Amino acid sequence: IKNRYGDAVVLLGGSADGKCVLVLGAAGAPLAAGFDSKSALNGFAALVGGGGGGRPDLAQAGGKDLAKLDELFRDAGKKLVALLSA
């Protein structure tokens, strides 16, 4: 998805086996400007009681608190905009 749109930051999430699964990727201008998917995703993963790893262009994480996933996505857009504006 991120490569299809060129200048993009994409956050995906879901559940597997009762746990949260998150993926964050960046491409184009955000990546060139210093956006770090790994760092950003660790902030999101903390909200669901987890952590992860990866690279500046693509990171993945897991979490234990599936009930917090909706809350994470409710605020994710604002948080990503703030990170991109910093």
Side-chain angles (χ1 to χ4, degrees):
I1 294 172
K2 68 183 178 88
N3 292 334
R4 180 177 183 175
Y5 293 101
D7 296 332
V9 172
V10 178
L11 175 63
L12 302 173
S15 65
D17 299 323
K19 297 180 181 175
C20 299
V21 179
L22 303 169
V23 176
L24 180 63
L31 193 59
F35 183 83
D36 185 353
S37 296
K38 179 182 173 185
S39 176
L41 189 60
N42 278 329
F44 288 116
L47 295 173
V48 292
R55 307 179 308 265
D57 67 317
L58 184 65
Q60 57 187 357
K64 300 173 190 171
D65 194 350
L66 189 56
K68 297 278 187 174
L69 192 58
D70 285 340
E71 180 182 330
L72 182 152
F73 276 99
R74 193 171 26 255
D75 300 329
K78 292 176 190 175
K79 290 180 181 180
L80 285 171
V81 168
L83 288 171
L84 289 164
S85 300

Coordinates of all heavy atoms in Angstrom, one line a residue:
I1 N 0.8 -1.2 0.0 CA 0.0 0.0 0.0 C 0.9 1.2 0.0 O 0.6 2.2 -0.8 CB -0.9 0.0 1.2 CG1 -2.0 -1.1 1.1 CG2 -1.7 1.3 1.3 CD1 -2.8 -1.3 2.3
K2 N 1.9 1.3 0.9 CA 2.7 2.5 1.0 C 3.5 2.8 -0.3 O 3.6 3.9 -0.7 CB 3.7 2.4 2.2 CG 4.8 1.3 2.0 CD 5.6 1.2 3.2 CE 6.7 0.1 3.1 NZ 7.9 0.5 2.5
N3 N 3.9 1.7 -1.0 CA 4.6 2.0 -2.3 C 3.7 2.4 -3.4 O 4.1 3.1 -4.3 CB 5.4 0.7 -2.6 CG 6.5 0.5 -1.7 OD1 7.0 1.4 -1.0 ND2 6.9 -0.8 -1.5
R4 N 2.4 1.9 -3.4 CA 1.5 2.3 -4.4 C 1.2 3.8 -4.4 O 1.0 4.3 -5.5 CB 0.2 1.5 -4.2 CG -0.8 1.8 -5.2 CD -2.0 0.9 -5.0 NE -3.0 1.2 -6.1 CZ -4.1 0.6 -6.2 NH1 -4.4 -0.4 -5.4 NH2 -4.9 0.9 -7.2
Y5 N 1.2 4.4 -3.3 CA 0.8 5.8 -3.2 C 2.0 6.7 -3.1 O 1.8 7.9 -3.0 CB -0.2 6.0 -2.0 CG -1.5 5.4 -2.2 CD1 -1.8 4.1 -1.7 CD2 -2.4 5.9 -3.1 CE1 -3.0 3.5 -1.9 CE2 -3.6 5.3 -3.4 CZ -3.9 4.1 -2.8 OH -5.1 3.5 -3.1
G6 N 3.2 6.2 -3.1 CA 4.4 7.1 -3.1 C 4.7 7.7 -1.8 O 5.4 7.2 -1.0
D7 N 4.2 8.9 -1.5 CA 4.4 9.6 -0.3 C 3.3 9.2 0.7 O 2.2 9.7 0.6 CB 4.3 11.1 -0.5 CG 5.4 11.6 -1.4 OD1 6.5 11.0 -1.5 OD2 5.2 12.7 -2.1
A8 N 3.6 8.3 1.6 CA 2.6 7.7 2.4 C 3.1 7.2 3.8 O 4.3 6.8 3.9 CB 1.9 6.5 1.7
V9 N 2.2 7.2 4.7 CA 2.5 6.5 6.0 C 1.2 5.7 6.2 O 0.1 6.2 6.1 CB 2.6 7.5 7.2 CG1 2.7 6.7 8.5 CG2 3.9 8.3 7.0
V10 N 1.4 4.4 6.4 CA 0.3 3.4 6.5 C 0.3 2.6 7.8 O 1.4 2.0 8.1 CB 0.3 2.4 5.3 CG1 -0.9 1.4 5.4 CG2 0.2 3.2 4.0
L11 N -0.7 2.7 8.6 CA -0.8 1.9 9.8 C -2.0 0.9 9.7 O -3.1 1.3 9.4 CB -1.1 2.8 11.0 CG -1.4 2.2 12.4 CD1 -0.1 1.4 12.8 CD2 -1.8 3.2 13.4
L12 N -1.6 -0.4 9.8 CA -2.6 -1.4 9.8 C -2.6 -2.2 11.1 O -1.6 -2.3 11.8 CB -2.2 -2.4 8.6 CG -2.1 -1.8 7.2 CD1 -1.6 -2.9 6.3 CD2 -3.4 -1.3 6.7
G13 N -3.8 -2.7 11.4 CA -3.9 -3.5 12.7 C -5.0 -4.4 12.6 O -5.9 -4.3 11.9
G14 N -4.9 -5.4 13.5 CA -5.9 -6.4 13.6 C -5.7 -7.3 14.8 O -4.9 -7.0 15.6
S15 N -6.3 -8.5 14.8 CA -6.1 -9.4 15.9 C -5.8 -10.8 15.3 O -6.2 -11.2 14.2 CB -7.4 -9.5 16.7 OG -8.4 -10.0 16.0
A16 N -5.0 -11.5 16.1 CA -4.7 -12.9 15.8 C -4.5 -13.6 17.2 O -3.8 -13.2 18.0 CB -3.4 -13.0 15.0
D17 N -5.2 -14.7 17.3 CA -5.1 -15.5 18.6 C -5.3 -14.7 19.8 O -4.6 -14.8 20.8 CB -3.8 -16.2 18.6 CG -3.5 -17.2 17.5 OD1 -4.5 -17.8 17.0 OD2 -2.4 -17.2 17.0
G18 N -6.3 -13.7 19.8 CA -6.6 -12.9 20.9 C -5.6 -11.8 21.3 O -5.7 -11.2 22.3
K19 N -4.7 -11.5 20.3 CA -3.7 -10.5 20.6 C -3.7 -9.5 19.4 O -4.2 -9.8 18.3 CB -2.3 -11.1 20.7 CG -2.1 -12.0 21.8 CD -0.7 -12.6 21.9 CE -0.6 -13.5 23.1 NZ 0.7 -14.2 23.1
C20 N -3.2 -8.3 19.6 CA -3.1 -7.3 18.6 C -1.9 -7.5 17.7 O -0.9 -7.9 18.2 CB -3.0 -5.9 19.2 SG -4.3 -5.4 20.3
V21 N -2.1 -7.2 16.4 CA -1.0 -7.2 15.5 C -1.0 -5.8 14.8 O -2.1 -5.4 14.3 CB -1.2 -8.3 14.4 CG1 -0.1 -8.3 13.4 CG2 -1.3 -9.7 15.1
L22 N 0.1 -5.2 14.7 CA 0.2 -3.8 14.1 C 1.4 -3.8 13.1 O 2.4 -4.5 13.3 CB 0.5 -2.8 15.2 CG -0.5 -2.7 16.3 CD1 0.1 -1.8 17.4 CD2 -1.8 -2.1 15.8
V23 N 1.2 -3.1 12.0 CA 2.2 -2.9 11.0 C 2.2 -1.4 10.6 O 1.1 -0.8 10.4 CB 2.0 -3.7 9.8 CG1 3.0 -3.4 8.7 CG2 2.0 -5.2 10.1
L24 N 3.3 -0.8 10.6 CA 3.4 0.6 10.2 C 4.5 0.8 9.1 O 5.6 0.3 9.3 CB 3.8 1.5 11.4 CG 3.9 3.0 11.2 CD1 2.6 3.6 10.7 CD2 4.3 3.7 12.4
G25 N 4.2 1.4 8.0 CA 5.1 1.6 7.0 C 5.1 3.0 6.5 O 4.1 3.7 6.5
A26 N 6.3 3.4 5.9 CA 6.4 4.8 5.4 C 7.2 4.7 4.1 O 8.0 3.8 3.9 CB 7.1 5.7 6.4
A27 N 6.9 5.6 3.2 CA 7.5 5.7 1.9 C 7.6 7.1 1.4 O 6.8 8.0 1.8 CB 6.8 4.8 0.8
G28 N 8.5 7.4 0.5 CA 8.6 8.7 -0.1 C 9.0 9.9 0.8 O 9.9 9.7 1.6
A29 N 8.3 11.0 0.7 CA 8.6 12.2 1.4 C 8.7 12.0 2.9 O 9.6 12.5 3.6 CB 7.7 13.3 1.0
P30 N 7.7 11.4 3.6 CA 7.8 11.2 5.0 C 9.1 10.5 5.5 O 9.8 10.9 6.4 CB 6.6 10.4 5.4 CG 5.6 10.7 4.3 CD 6.4 10.8 3.1
L31 N 9.5 9.4 4.7 CA 10.7 8.7 5.0 C 11.9 9.5 4.8 O 12.8 9.6 5.6 CB 10.7 7.4 4.2 CG 11.7 6.4 4.5 CD1 11.5 5.9 5.9 CD2 11.6 5.2 3.5
A32 N 11.9 10.3 3.7 CA 13.1 11.2 3.4 C 13.2 12.3 4.4 O 14.3 12.7 4.7 CB 12.9 11.8 2.0
A33 N 12.1 12.7 5.0 CA 12.1 13.7 6.0 C 12.5 13.2 7.4 O 12.5 14.0 8.4 CB 10.7 14.4 6.1
G34 N 12.7 11.9 7.5 CA 13.2 11.4 8.8 C 12.1 10.6 9.6 O 12.4 10.2 10.7
F35 N 10.9 10.4 9.0 CA 9.9 9.6 9.8 C 10.5 8.2 10.0 O 11.0 7.6 9.1 CB 8.6 9.5 9.0 CG 7.5 8.8 9.7 CD1 6.7 9.4 10.6 CD2 7.3 7.4 9.4 CE1 5.7 8.7 11.3 CE2 6.3 6.7 10.1 CZ 5.5 7.4 11.1
D36 N 10.3 7.7 11.3 CA 10.8 6.4 11.6 C 9.7 5.5 12.1 O 9.1 5.7 13.2 CB 11.8 6.6 12.8 CG 12.5 5.3 13.2 OD1 12.1 4.2 12.7 OD2 13.5 5.3 14.0
S37 N 9.3 4.6 11.2 CA 8.2 3.7 11.5 C 8.4 2.9 12.8 O 7.5 2.7 13.6 CB 8.0 2.7 10.3 OG 7.6 3.4 9.2
K38 N 9.6 2.4 13.0 CA 9.9 1.6 14.2 C 9.7 2.4 15.5 O 9.0 2.0 16.4 CB 11.4 1.2 14.2 CG 11.8 0.4 15.4 CD 13.3 0.0 15.3 CE 13.7 -0.7 16.6 NZ 15.1 -0.9 16.6
S39 N 10.2 3.7 15.5 CA 10.0 4.5 16.7 C 8.5 4.8 16.9 O 8.0 4.8 18.0 CB 10.8 5.8 16.6 OG 10.5 6.7 17.6
A40 N 7.8 5.2 15.8 CA 6.4 5.6 15.9 C 5.6 4.4 16.3 O 4.7 4.5 17.2 CB 5.9 6.1 14.6
L41 N 5.8 3.2 15.8 CA 5.0 2.0 16.1 C 5.2 1.6 17.5 O 4.3 1.1 18.2 CB 5.4 0.9 15.2 CG 4.4 -0.3 15.3 CD1 3.0 0.1 15.0 CD2 4.9 -1.4 14.4
N42 N 6.4 1.8 18.1 CA 6.6 1.4 19.5 C 5.7 2.2 20.4 O 5.2 1.7 21.4 CB 8.1 1.6 19.9 CG 8.9 0.3 19.5 OD1 8.4 -0.8 19.5 ND2 10.1 0.6 19.2
G43 N 5.4 3.5 20.0 CA 4.5 4.3 20.8 C 3.1 3.8 20.7 O 2.4 3.7 21.7
F44 N 2.7 3.3 19.5 CA 1.3 2.7 19.4 C 1.2 1.4 20.1 O 0.2 1.1 20.7 CB 1.0 2.6 17.9 CG 0.7 3.8 17.2 CD1 1.5 4.3 16.1 CD2 -0.4 4.6 17.5 CE1 1.2 5.4 15.5 CE2 -0.7 5.8 16.9 CZ 0.2 6.2 15.8
A45 N 2.3 0.6 20.0 CA 2.3 -0.7 20.6 C 2.2 -0.6 22.1 O 1.5 -1.5 22.8 CB 3.5 -1.5 20.2
A46 N 2.8 0.4 22.7 CA 2.7 0.6 24.2 C 1.2 0.7 24.6 O 0.9 0.3 25.7 CB 3.5 1.8 24.6
L47 N 0.4 1.3 23.8 CA -1.0 1.5 24.1 C -1.8 0.2 24.2 O -2.8 0.1 25.0 CB -1.7 2.4 23.1 CG -1.2 3.8 22.9 CD1 -1.9 4.5 21.7 CD2 -1.5 4.6 24.2
V48 N -1.3 -0.8 23.5 CA -2.0 -2.1 23.6 C -1.1 -3.1 24.4 O -1.3 -4.3 24.3 CB -2.3 -2.6 22.2 CG1 -3.3 -1.8 21.5 CG2 -1.0 -2.8 21.3
G49 N -0.2 -2.6 25.2 CA 0.6 -3.5 26.1 C 1.6 -4.4 25.4 O 1.8 -5.5 25.7
G50 N 2.2 -3.8 24.3 CA 3.2 -4.6 23.6 C 4.4 -3.8 23.1 O 4.7 -2.7 23.6
G51 N 5.1 -4.4 22.2 CA 6.2 -3.7 21.6 C 6.5 -4.4 20.3 O 5.9 -5.4 19.9
G52 N 7.5 -3.9 19.6 CA 7.9 -4.4 18.3 C 9.2 -4.0 17.8 O 10.1 -3.5 18.6
G53 N 9.4 -4.1 16.5 CA 10.7 -3.7 16.0 C 10.6 -3.6 14.5 O 9.5 -3.8 13.9
G54 N 11.7 -3.2 13.9 CA 11.7 -3.1 12.4 C 12.7 -2.1 12.0 O 13.7 -1.8 12.6
R55 N 12.3 -1.4 10.9 CA 13.2 -0.4 10.2 C 12.4 0.9 10.1 O 11.2 0.9 10.3 CB 13.6 -1.0 8.8 CG 14.2 -2.3 8.8 CD 14.6 -2.8 7.4 NE 13.4 -2.6 6.4 CZ 12.6 -3.6 6.1 NH1 12.7 -4.8 6.6 NH2 11.6 -3.4 5.2
P56 N 13.1 1.9 9.7 CA 12.4 3.2 9.5 C 11.3 3.1 8.4 O 10.3 3.8 8.5 CB 13.5 4.1 9.0 CG 14.8 3.6 9.6 CD 14.6 2.1 9.6
D57 N 11.4 2.2 7.4 CA 10.4 2.2 6.4 C 9.3 1.1 6.7 O 8.2 1.2 6.1 CB 11.0 1.8 5.0 CG 11.6 0.4 5.0 OD1 12.3 0.0 6.0 OD2 11.4 -0.2 4.0
L58 N 9.5 0.2 7.6 CA 8.5 -0.8 7.9 C 8.8 -1.5 9.3 O 9.9 -1.9 9.5 CB 8.5 -1.9 6.8 CG 7.5 -3.0 6.9 CD1 6.1 -2.4 6.7 CD2 7.7 -4.1 5.9
A59 N 7.8 -1.5 10.1 CA 7.9 -2.1 11.4 C 6.6 -2.8 11.8 O 5.6 -2.6 11.2 CB 8.1 -1.0 12.5
Q60 N 6.8 -3.8 12.7 CA 5.6 -4.6 13.1 C 5.7 -4.8 14.6 O 6.8 -4.8 15.2 CB 5.5 -5.9 12.4 CG 6.8 -6.8 12.5 CD 6.6 -8.0 11.6 OE1 5.6 -8.3 10.9 NE2 7.6 -8.9 11.6
A61 N 4.5 -4.9 15.2 CA 4.5 -5.1 16.7 C 3.3 -5.9 17.0 O 2.3 -6.1 16.2 CB 4.4 -3.7 17.3
G62 N 3.3 -6.3 18.3 CA 2.2 -7.1 18.8 C 1.8 -6.5 20.2 O 2.6 -5.8 20.8
G63 N 0.6 -6.8 20.7 CA 0.2 -6.4 22.0 C -0.8 -7.3 22.6 O -1.4 -8.1 21.9
K64 N -0.9 -7.3 23.9 CA -1.7 -8.2 24.7 C -3.2 -7.6 24.9 O -4.1 -8.4 25.1 CB -1.1 -8.5 26.0 CG 0.2 -9.1 25.9 CD 0.8 -9.2 27.3 CE 2.3 -9.5 27.2 NZ 3.0 -9.4 28.5
D65 N -3.3 -6.3 24.8 CA -4.6 -5.7 25.2 C -5.5 -5.4 24.0 O -5.5 -4.3 23.5 CB -4.4 -4.5 26.0 CG -5.6 -4.0 26.7 OD1 -6.7 -4.5 26.5 OD2 -5.5 -3.1 27.6
L66 N -6.2 -6.4 23.5 CA -7.0 -6.3 22.3 C -8.1 -5.3 22.5 O -8.5 -4.6 21.5 CB -7.6 -7.7 21.9 CG -8.3 -7.8 20.6 CD1 -7.4 -7.4 19.4 CD2 -8.8 -9.2 20.4
A67 N -8.6 -5.1 23.7 CA -9.6 -4.1 24.0 C -9.2 -2.7 23.7 O -10.1 -1.8 23.4 CB -10.1 -4.2 25.4
K68 N -7.9 -2.4 23.6 CA -7.4 -1.0 23.4 C -7.2 -0.7 21.9 O -6.9 0.4 21.5 CB -6.1 -0.8 24.1 CG -6.2 -0.9 25.6 CD -6.7 0.4 26.1 CE -6.6 0.4 27.6 NZ -6.9 1.7 28.2
L69 N -7.4 -1.7 21.0 CA -7.1 -1.6 19.6 C -8.0 -0.5 19.0 O -7.6 0.4 18.2 CB -7.3 -2.9 18.9 CG -6.8 -2.9 17.4 CD1 -5.3 -2.6 17.4 CD2 -7.0 -4.3 16.8
D70 N -9.3 -0.5 19.3 CA -10.2 0.6 18.8 C -9.8 2.0 19.2 O -9.8 2.9 18.4 CB -11.7 0.3 19.2 CG -12.3 -0.8 18.5 OD1 -11.8 -1.2 17.4 OD2 -13.3 -1.4 19.0
E71 N -9.4 2.1 20.5 CA -8.9 3.4 21.0 C -7.7 3.8 20.2 O -7.5 5.0 19.9 CB -8.6 3.3 22.5 CG -8.2 4.5 23.1 CD -7.8 4.3 24.6 OE1 -8.5 3.5 25.3 OE2 -7.0 5.0 25.1
L72 N -6.8 2.9 20.0 CA -5.5 3.2 19.3 C -5.9 3.8 17.9 O -5.3 4.8 17.6 CB -4.7 1.9 19.1 CG -3.4 2.0 18.4 CD1 -2.4 0.9 18.9 CD2 -3.5 1.9 16.9
F73 N -6.8 3.2 17.2 CA -7.1 3.7 15.8 C -8.0 5.0 15.9 O -7.9 5.7 14.9 CB -7.8 2.6 15.0 CG -6.7 1.7 14.4 CD1 -6.4 0.5 14.9 CD2 -6.1 2.1 13.2 CE1 -5.5 -0.3 14.4 CE2 -5.1 1.3 12.7 CZ -4.8 0.1 13.2
R74 N -8.7 5.2 16.9 CA -9.5 6.4 17.0 C -8.6 7.6 17.1 O -8.9 8.7 16.5 CB -10.4 6.3 18.3 CG -11.4 7.4 18.3 CD -12.4 7.2 19.5 NE -12.0 6.4 20.6 CZ -12.4 5.2 20.9 NH1 -13.2 4.5 20.1 NH2 -11.9 4.6 22.0
D75 N -7.4 7.5 17.7 CA -6.5 8.6 17.9 C -5.3 8.5 17.0 O -4.4 9.5 17.0 CB -6.0 8.7 19.3 CG -7.1 8.8 20.3 OD1 -8.1 9.5 20.0 OD2 -7.0 8.3 21.5
A76 N -5.1 7.5 16.2 CA -3.9 7.3 15.4 C -3.7 8.4 14.4 O -2.5 8.8 14.2 CB -4.0 5.9 14.7
G77 N -4.7 8.8 13.7 CA -4.5 9.8 12.7 C -3.9 11.1 13.2 O -3.0 11.6 12.6
K78 N -4.4 11.6 14.3 CA -3.9 12.8 15.0 C -2.5 12.6 15.4 O -1.6 13.5 15.2 CB -4.8 13.2 16.2 CG -6.2 13.6 15.8 CD -7.0 13.9 17.1 CE -8.4 14.1 16.7 NZ -9.2 14.2 17.9
K79 N -2.2 11.4 16.0 CA -0.8 11.2 16.4 C 0.2 11.1 15.3 O 1.3 11.6 15.4 CB -0.8 9.9 17.3 CG -1.5 10.1 18.6 CD -1.4 8.8 19.4 CE -2.2 9.1 20.8 NZ -2.2 8.0 21.6
L80 N -0.3 10.5 14.2 CA 0.6 10.4 13.0 C 0.9 11.8 12.4 O 2.0 12.1 12.0 CB 0.1 9.4 12.0 CG 0.2 7.9 12.3 CD1 -0.6 7.1 11.3 CD2 1.6 7.5 12.4
V81 N -0.2 12.6 12.3 CA 0.0 13.9 11.8 C 1.0 14.7 12.7 O 1.8 15.4 12.2 CB -1.4 14.7 11.7 CG1 -1.2 16.2 11.4 CG2 -2.2 14.0 10.6
A82 N 0.8 14.6 14.0 CA 1.8 15.3 14.9 C 3.2 14.8 14.7 O 4.1 15.6 14.7 CB 1.3 15.0 16.4
L83 N 3.4 13.5 14.5 CA 4.7 13.0 14.3 C 5.3 13.5 13.0 O 6.5 13.8 12.9 CB 4.7 11.4 14.3 CG 4.5 10.8 15.6 CD1 4.3 9.3 15.5 CD2 5.7 11.0 16.5
L84 N 4.4 13.6 12.0 CA 4.9 14.0 10.6 C 5.2 15.5 10.6 O 6.0 16.0 9.8 CB 3.9 13.7 9.6 CG 3.7 12.2 9.3 CD1 2.4 11.9 8.5 CD2 4.9 11.7 8.5
S85 N 4.6 16.3 11.5 CA 4.7 17.7 11.6 C 5.9 18.1 12.4 O 6.3 19.3 12.4 CB 3.5 18.4 12.2 OG 2.4 18.1 11.4
A86 N 6.4 17.2 13.2 CA 7.6 17.5 14.2 C 8.9 17.7 13.4 O 9.1 17.3 12.4 CB 7.7 16.4 15.2

